[in-house]
Amino acid sequence: QVQLVESGGGVVQAGGSLRLSCAASGFTFSRYYMGWYRQAPGKQRELVASITSGVIRNYVDSVKDRFTISRNDANNTVYLQMNSLKTEDTAIYYCNVAVHPFASWGQGTQVTVSS
C-alpha cells in the first residue's frame, strides 16, 4: 500500500526558507521518478520539481534557482529546499511520482508565505 507523508511546512516571511520532507513507503522508491507538486487556493495542482532515480532534476520556471529537490534512496525520502520564498509560493505541497502520480496522495504540507 503506497503511503506518502509530507512534513516541514509552516508560515514564513517573504525571502525566508523552508525544507520539506516526504517519507515514502509501499513501493520500490529508488526506481521512481519523484516529484513535488503544489496546489494553491482556486488553482490546479502543478508539478514544480522532479528528480529521476539517476538524480536528474527538473523545475518549473517559477521556482528555478530558488528550490532544490533531492532524494535519499536509503531512507525512501524526497526533500524540497525552498529559498527566497515569495507570497505566490503559498500552497499545499505534496510529493508523488512525477508526471504519472499514484492515485493515492498524502495529506500534503501547508506552506504560507507572508509579505
Side-chain angles (χ1 to χ4, degrees), residues 17 25 54 63-64 75 79 84 89-90 100:
S17 298
S25 61
V63 308
K64 268 181 191 173
N75 62 14
Y79 304 95
S84 302
D89 295 318
T90 294
H100 301 294

Side-chain angles (χ1 to χ4, degrees), residues 7 16 24-25 42 44 48 58 66 70 82 94 104 113:
S7 62
S25 61
Q44 288 197 335
V48 297
N58 289 288
R66 300 189 298 120
S70 60
M82 306 187 296
Y94 304 86
S104 174
V113 184

